[in-house]
């Protein structure tokens, strides 16, 4: 639930400002002191009114609709102070280690990764920190996530980039899957960089995530993936990720890794579904049933992955 800006305390203050007996107002002499007081009260009334308007606009457009325990964290990247509003009712409302690591990497490797005027797509943007950093570095950014978390994402991105960036960042819904050519045709949506931070964790959509990354990572696109390895399924995904893409390990700090990847063209006679499968049956799949489900997903949608 979002916090109601029109709290009883604000109403009481508002009423105290406006409710003044008219007869007293007319009876008082317009001395210099009272004129000054009137000006101060008028200014206070205007500020109160403006504050209410701002609160209403934020609540209507960008205030998170489902975060019940909002908190704010402050960061400093690209020489700018970034204030992130978090919420702990969703994974998307928290700052994860991968976002911090990749934000720091982009900030400290500007000469190697020049984002100026580059088209950048972030998948699973969450609170928007990484997209904000990319925007401050001069990129034309589209931050994406599930539709029900876009309120907080839009609020953070707008608040931290307005008037600061070369290009106004965009926020758009994106659900991972195989039928992305219909909603995000590759002939139109082409990006120089794809960013993904801590998108691999305990969920049931790792195959869809891999298909989504493959869809957007076209020839000429560079994919940057930062993730903390927590579970065996995380490592299994990364093994498949390295078979699907040409990858290079940029940094590794204990269990947190940052990969750079580009699309891998299938060799003659090599089908992409075989490239994705690799040796999955013998690489620690949790069970034969789970492995079979994974293969069925990949087999059934392999043509769309290659689109």
């Amino acid at each position: 639930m979002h916090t109601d800006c029109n709290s009883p305390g604000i109403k009481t203050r508002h009423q105290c400002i406006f409710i003044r007996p008219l007869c007293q107002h007319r009876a008082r002499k317009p001395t210099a002191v009272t004129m000054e007081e009137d000006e101060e009260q008028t200014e206070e009334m205007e500020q109160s009114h403006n504050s209410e308007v701002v609160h209403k606009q934020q609540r209507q457009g960008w205030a998170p609709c489902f975060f019940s325990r909002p908190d704010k964290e402050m960061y400093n990247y690209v020489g700018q102070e970034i204030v992130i509003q978090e919420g702990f009712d969703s994974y998307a409302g928290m700052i994860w280690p991968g976002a911090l690591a990749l934000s720091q990497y982009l900030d400290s490797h500007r000469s190697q990764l020049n984002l100026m005027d580059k088209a950048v797509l972030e998948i699973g943007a969450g609170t928007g920190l990484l997209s904000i950093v990319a925007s401050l570095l001069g990129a034309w950014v589209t931050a994406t996530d599930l539709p029900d978390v876009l309120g907080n994402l839009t609020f953070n991105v707008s608040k931290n980039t307005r008037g600061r960036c070369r290009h106004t960042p965009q926020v758009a819904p994106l659900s991972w899957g195989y039928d992305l050519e219909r909603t995000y045709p590759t002939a139109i949506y082409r990006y120089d960089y794809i960013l993904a931070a801590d998108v691999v964790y305990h969920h049931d959509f790792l195959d869809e995530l891999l298909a989504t990354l493959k869809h957007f990572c076209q020839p000429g696109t560079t994919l940057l993936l930062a993730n903390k390895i927590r579970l065996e399924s995380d490592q299994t995904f990364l093994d498949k990720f390295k078979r699907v893409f040409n990858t290079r390990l940029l940094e590794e700090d204990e269990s947190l890794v940052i990969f750079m990847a580009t699309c891998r063209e299938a060799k003659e006679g090599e089908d992409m579904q075989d490239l994705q499968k690799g040796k999955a049956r013998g690489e620690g799949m949790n069970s034969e049933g789970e492995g079979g489900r994974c293969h069925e997903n990949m087999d059934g949608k392999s043509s769309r992955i290659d689109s």
Side-chain angles (χ1 to χ4, degrees), residues 12-293:
T12 302
R13 178 174 178 268
H14 181 75
Q15 292 168 354
C16 290
I17 293 171
F18 282 91
I19 299 178
R20 284 174 42 187
L22 184 60
C23 59
Q24 292 182 10
H25 177 72
R26 290 177 177 174
R28 295 174 64 182
K29 295 181 179 180
T31 62
V33 176
T34 58
M35 291 286 289
E36 182 177 356
E37 290 176 351
D38 286 342
E39 290 177 358
E40 291 178 353
Q41 290 179 348
T42 301
E43 182 179 356
E44 187 176 1
M45 289 164 55
E46 293 177 352
Q47 290 177 352
S48 176
H49 175 71
N50 292 338
S51 177
E52 283 191 323
V53 172
V54 170
H55 283 312
K56 289 180 180 178
Q57 289 177 342
Q58 290 179 347
R59 183 174 56 187
Q60 292 171 355
W62 298 317
C65 58
F66 69 99
F67 296 106
S68 62
R69 292 187 298 163
D71 193 13
K72 293 183 179 180
E73 296 289 342
M74 297 178 61
Y75 303 91
N76 195 295
Y77 294 104
V78 202
Q80 300 282 346
E81 183 180 272
I82 301 173
V83 180
I84 296 295
Q85 178 170 278
E86 295 183 292
F88 299 107
D89 289 350
S90 167
Y91 287 138
M94 302 172 65
I95 297 290
W96 293 93
L100 295 174
L102 193 49
S103 294
Q104 179 62 38
Y105 189 88
L106 293 178
D107 190 12
S108 58
H109 292 77
R110 303 185 200 182
S111 57
Q112 296 93 322
L113 295 171
N114 183 11
L115 299 185
M116 185 66 67
D117 297 326
K118 297 295 192 299
V120 173
L121 173 72
E122 184 181 4
I123 294 176
T127 61
L129 174 63
L130 186 55
S131 288
I132 293 168
V133 172
S135 297
L136 293 174
L137 288 170
W140 175 71
V141 176
T142 302
T144 67
D145 212 312
L146 294 172
D148 58 351
V149 301
L150 294 186
N152 194 56
L153 172 60
T154 304
F155 174 83
N156 284 328
V157 170
S158 176
K159 180 179 180 181
N160 289 281
T161 60
R162 187 185 294 114
R164 293 182 175 184
C165 299
R166 185 179 179 90
H167 305 283
T168 302
Q170 306 295 315
V171 174
L174 173 62
S175 299
W176 305 338
Y178 302 97
D179 194 22
L180 292 174
E181 187 61 35
R182 180 176 58 86
T183 53
Y184 286 89
T186 53
I188 299 175
Y189 296 92
R190 303 187 69 87
Y191 299 92
D192 299 300
Y193 287 92
I194 307 296
L195 307 179
D198 266 323
V199 291
V200 181
Y201 53 93
H202 183 60
H203 60 75
D204 297 326
F205 302 98
L206 294 178
D207 293 338
E208 288 81 356
L209 171 60
L210 188 63
T212 301
L213 295 175
K214 180 66 177 67
H215 174 82
F216 286 108
C217 190
Q218 299 295 313
T221 302
T222 298
L223 169 60
L224 297 173
L225 172 69
N227 221 95
K228 186 173 182 179
I229 302 174
R230 303 172 179 88
L231 305 170
E232 183 179 351
S233 58
D234 298 351
Q235 186 59 57
T236 300
F237 176 88
L238 290 178
D239 292 340
K240 295 168 67 174
F241 175 80
K242 288 185 282 188
R243 289 194 299 271
V244 173
F245 299 98
N246 294 313
T247 63
R248 180 162 66 94
L249 181 63
L250 297 179
E251 279 194 358
E252 183 174 11
D253 183 9
E254 296 181 352
S255 59
L256 199 150
V257 294
I258 300 179
F259 280 100
M260 174 184 287
T262 55
C263 70
R264 174 179 290 181
E265 299 294 338
K267 298 179 182 178
E268 185 176 355
E270 180 182 40
D271 190 88
M272 182 56 69
Q273 72 180 47
D274 295 329
L275 186 63
Q276 292 170 337
K277 286 181 181 178
K279 301 177 181 178
R281 288 188 176 88
E283 292 187 353
M285 301 298 289
N286 293 335
S287 68
E288 183 177 354
E290 290 184 4
R293 178 170 58 85

